[in-house]
Amino acid sequence: MVGWRRLVWLIGLIPLGWLLLGLWQNTLGANPVERMIRFCGDWALWWLLMTLAVSPLRRLPGWSGLIRFRRLLGLLSLFYALLHVSGYVVLDHFFSWETIWRDILKRPYITVGLMAFLLLVPLGVTSTRAWMQRLGRHWGALHRLIYPASVLVMGHYVLMIKADYRAAFVYGVILAGLLGWRVVSVVVRSG
Amino acid sequence: MPFRWNPELRPEDITPEELFRQRRRFMKSAALVGVGAVLGMESLEAAETSAPLGEVRSGVVTLNEKQTPFADASGYCNFYELGTGKEDPSRQADRLVTKPWSVLIDGEVGRPGRISLEELIKPHPLEERVYRMRCVEAWSMVIPWVGFSLGALLQRFEPGPKAQYVSFETILDPERLPGQKRDILEWPYREGLRLDEAMHPLTMLAVGMYGRVLPNQNGAPLRLVVPWKYGFKSIKSIVRITLTEQQPVTSWNAHAPGEYGFYANVNPAVSHPRWDQSRERRIGEFLRRETLPFNGYGEQVAGLYTGMDLTRFF
């Protein structure tokens, strides 16, 4: 079963590999910096949605084994989010902290995006078995931060859009479904 | 045999225009593929873009900065009629039909009317002018445009005493232009200038770039270029020019008035809710460079705005 997890890890690195290949072969278009940052951000969002999809899907008959990939998917999301944020700091603004600080204060999509990232970091840090044991029952409560983080991620995505909301609508519906399922299942269980 | 009216011809025998155009498009691309197969892919590209421009006076406006490669200037575009992604317009460029083309010139002019593109261009010697192009999204290019002063064109139609502004419209063709099938912006795309901005010698109508006919994705066959304003002011594929007394409605301004002003002069001192405007990424460069007031054309154009609060009229 460890073999499967290793496979998912390797699959998770394919987008990064594609990006590095594109950089090397100079096929990332006229604005490679923008392309790289967008690409990593998109993948961070997609891995996050996949992470959130594990709990509903594992209720399906025969899908319970999916749970063993959940941590991995979450870490992949954080990994691409880290690349996304580093891309913004290093490639887009080359450590111009003054500009970055102004961005955080003035531009809501940056503010919200940074908040989402800051919520995801502790989840990654405490994803090890040792942290799980140390935190005990608080671990589960802490990791529910993924819900507000996912809403903030969606906000970051929507606020960035100038005019064409098609893709955001699709992701928004998927996220609403994934979070809605949780609300419904809590209500059903307590009712 | 002389042509004779065929009384047996019924309405259903006539090929609908759209189908006719589709066939033409198919035959054109089939022909190009054939040519490409013989001459190689590079020739295919050339066949599509190297239509002759006639005589061009080069060096009319020069710039001592490295020109953006043609592939980048024609491959990385904002032209929402052809898709909202940066590479959509070049991919879907053949959705825009530029022949035949005419422009309606109306409003406060002495000689209003519709004029074919050929007639519109004919009296104006073509000039090459190398301008900076600064997008509101904080990237920039250096592009050698080919065209002529808008002012010279407007003079031909005799602006009336009430004319204060010039309004422009892009072609409206939702049947063919994929972006116009959805209400991303209110179509057709509209832009406008104050008459004195329109008459300024730097303001030009372009019919080409890099010595060739404008690629469709760059606004063929006729576009505006106003180098001291953000790129969205430089409206593409113009079909109508109207002189007006009132300040005209412009597309991005109507879409988000807090973000995109009517004037939209490049101004590093006026912040934008989305992009830091103090610096820009020149396409092809890694580190951002400082954005210049009026995109570096302040000496020529700042006088148009004396006494105006440019943080209010942004």
Side-chain angles (χ1 to χ4, degrees), chain A residues 15-103:
Chain A
L16 177 63
W18 184 90
L19 198 63
L20 294 175
L21 189 71
L23 193 62
W24 182 51
Q25 298 191 326
N26 195 19
T27 54
L28 296 180
N31 195 344
V33 169
E34 179 190 65
R35 169 68 69 86
M36 286 190 275
I37 294 172
R38 293 271 169 94
F39 181 88
C40 292
D42 282 343
W43 275 101
L45 170 64
W46 295 335
W47 294 120
L48 188 70
L49 292 176
M50 285 188 257
T51 310
L52 286 168
V54 167
S55 293
L57 289 178
R58 64 192 267 243
R59 302 298 159 96
L60 296 173
W63 287 58
S64 59
L66 221 52
I67 186 69
R68 84 181 95 95
F69 301 115
R70 191 170 64 180
R71 175 168 65 183
L72 198 48
L73 293 170
L75 285 171
L76 280 170
S77 175
L78 181 63
F79 175 61
Y80 281 90
L82 189 68
L83 291 176
H84 178 63
V85 172
S86 320
Y88 165 77
V89 171
V90 181
L91 304 179
D92 206 11
H93 292 294
F94 201 66
F95 307 105
S96 170
W97 298 111
E98 194 199 321
T99 316
I100 292 169
W101 183 240
R102 240 184 300 150
D103 256 3

Side-chain angles (χ1 to χ4, degrees), chain B residues 150 164-169 189-195 197-198 224 226 229 232-235 242 244 246-251 261-264:
Chain B
L150 170 66
Q164 300 282 334
Y165 295 89
V166 187
S167 149
F168 305 87
E169 264 180 42
Y189 191 85
R190 291 183 175 88
E191 258 312 331
L193 296 170
R194 227 168 49 192
L195 188 60
E197 297 175 322
L224 183 68
V226 194
K229 292 175 180 283
F232 68 88
K233 293 296 290 181
S234 293
I235 184 170
T242 311
T244 64
Q246 306 294 329
Q247 180 177 307
V249 171
T250 59
S251 290
F262 172 79
Y263 285 92

Side-chain angles (χ1 to χ4, degrees), chain A residues 28-31 33-35 38 90-94 96 99 102-103 106-110 158-166, chain B residues 72 76 78 80 84 86-87 136-137 139 182 184-185 252 255 260 271-279 281 283-284 286-288:
Chain A
L28 296 180
N31 195 344
V33 169
E34 179 190 65
R35 169 68 69 86
R38 293 271 169 94
V90 181
L91 304 179
D92 206 11
H93 292 294
F94 201 66
S96 170
T99 316
R102 240 184 300 150
D103 256 3
K106 274 193 181 169
R107 299 177 223 287
Y109 78 99
I110 301 277
V158 170
L159 286 169
M160 193 193 62
I161 295 168
K162 283 165 72 185
D164 186 356
Y165 289 92
R166 262 182 312 174
Chain B
D72 289 345
Y76 187 82
N78 278 325
Y80 280 12
T84 51
K86 289 284 184 296
E87 280 150 24
V136 71
E137 295 167 347
W139 53 266
R182 300 179 298 117
I184 309 165
L185 292 170
W252 280 105
H255 178 77
Y260 313 100
S271 170
H272 185 280
R274 282 167 201 277
W275 306 277
D276 180 81
Q277 298 296 14
S278 64
R279 297 184 307 148
R281 171 163 293 110
I283 293 301
F286 173 60
L287 292 178
R288 286 175 184 249

Side-chain angles (χ1 to χ4, degrees), chain B residues 172-249:
Chain B
L172 179 68
D173 186 5
E175 290 292 308
R176 301 187 42 87
L177 299 174
Q180 288 183 340
K181 288 191 171 70
R182 300 179 298 117
D183 49 358
I184 309 165
L185 292 170
E186 199 183 302
W187 308 116
Y189 191 85
R190 291 183 175 88
E191 258 312 331
L193 296 170
R194 227 168 49 192
L195 188 60
D196 58 345
E197 297 175 322
M199 301 302 287
H200 192 280
L202 280 177
T203 305
M204 75 185 290
L205 284 173
V207 295
M209 63 185 214
Y210 298 84
R212 325 176 191 197
V213 164
L214 271 182
N216 285 0
Q217 64 268 29
N218 293 88
L222 184 74
R223 67 168 293 169
L224 183 68
V225 181
V226 194
W228 71 92
K229 292 175 180 283
Y230 293 121
F232 68 88
K233 293 296 290 181
S234 293
I235 184 170
K236 299 183 168 95
S237 305
I238 297 167
V239 294
R240 186 175 180 187
I241 301 174
T242 311
L243 280 87
T244 64
E245 201 177 346
Q246 306 294 329
Q247 180 177 307
V249 171

Side-chain angles (χ1 to χ4, degrees), chain A residues 15 21 28 52 65 89 120 135 139 147-148 156-157 164 181 186 191:
Chain A
L21 189 71
L28 296 180
L52 286 168
V89 171
L120 289 177
L135 290 172
W139 189 88
Y147 305 137
H156 169 65
Y157 195 100
D164 186 356
W181 176 85
V186 165

